[in-house]
Amino acid sequence: MSADESDRMLEFLYAHTEDPRYEFRHVWRVGDTLIWDNFATIHLATGGYGTDTPRVMIRTQVLGNAQRYRQANGSLGGRLLTS
């Protein structure tokens, strides 16, 4: 791909990611739970909650191969739950 083609493609992709048609904005209510796919989502917390409001965030990750995961993450991987 030439530099010009690359520039045009990047311009298209950047414009696409900023298109309001593909945005989701959540209005928080008591008891709400949100789940999104970090691999395919651009996430930006923009507020909608008070700074004095406690927030609980729990990150989960789907694990493909336990041995490969341990090799790649060592002790940085957190708890590894297996069945």
Side-chain angles (χ1 to χ4, degrees), residues 1-17:
M1 179 180 294
S2 72
D4 285 342
E5 290 173 313
S6 173
D7 290 344
R8 285 194 304 275
M9 177 63 80
L10 287 172
E11 285 176 27
F12 168 79
L13 292 171
Y14 294 145
H16 183 81
T17 62

Side-chain angles (χ1 to χ4, degrees), residues 1 6-9 11 16 24 26 29 33 42-43 50-52 55 67-68 71 74 77 81:
M1 179 180 294
S6 173
D7 290 344
R8 285 194 304 275
M9 177 63 80
E11 285 176 27
H16 183 81
F24 171 78
H26 188 75
R29 296 179 311 233
T33 300
I42 299 171
H43 169 253
T51 56
D52 60 341
R55 298 172 65 205
Q67 181 178 0
R68 192 181 230 176
Q71 288 171 345
L81 305 176

Side-chain angles (χ1 to χ4, degrees), residues 6-53:
S6 173
D7 290 344
R8 285 194 304 275
M9 177 63 80
L10 287 172
E11 285 176 27
F12 168 79
L13 292 171
Y14 294 145
H16 183 81
T17 62
E18 296 174 359
D19 188 327
R21 292 179 297 170
Y22 306 113
E23 283 184 9
F24 171 78
R25 292 186 180 255
H26 188 75
V27 178
W28 289 98
R29 296 179 311 233
V30 173
D32 282 357
T33 300
L34 258 57
I35 299 172
W36 62 88
D37 176 357
N38 267 351
F39 185 77
T41 302
I42 299 171
H43 169 253
L44 175 64
T46 58
Y49 43 85
T51 56
D52 60 341
T53 304

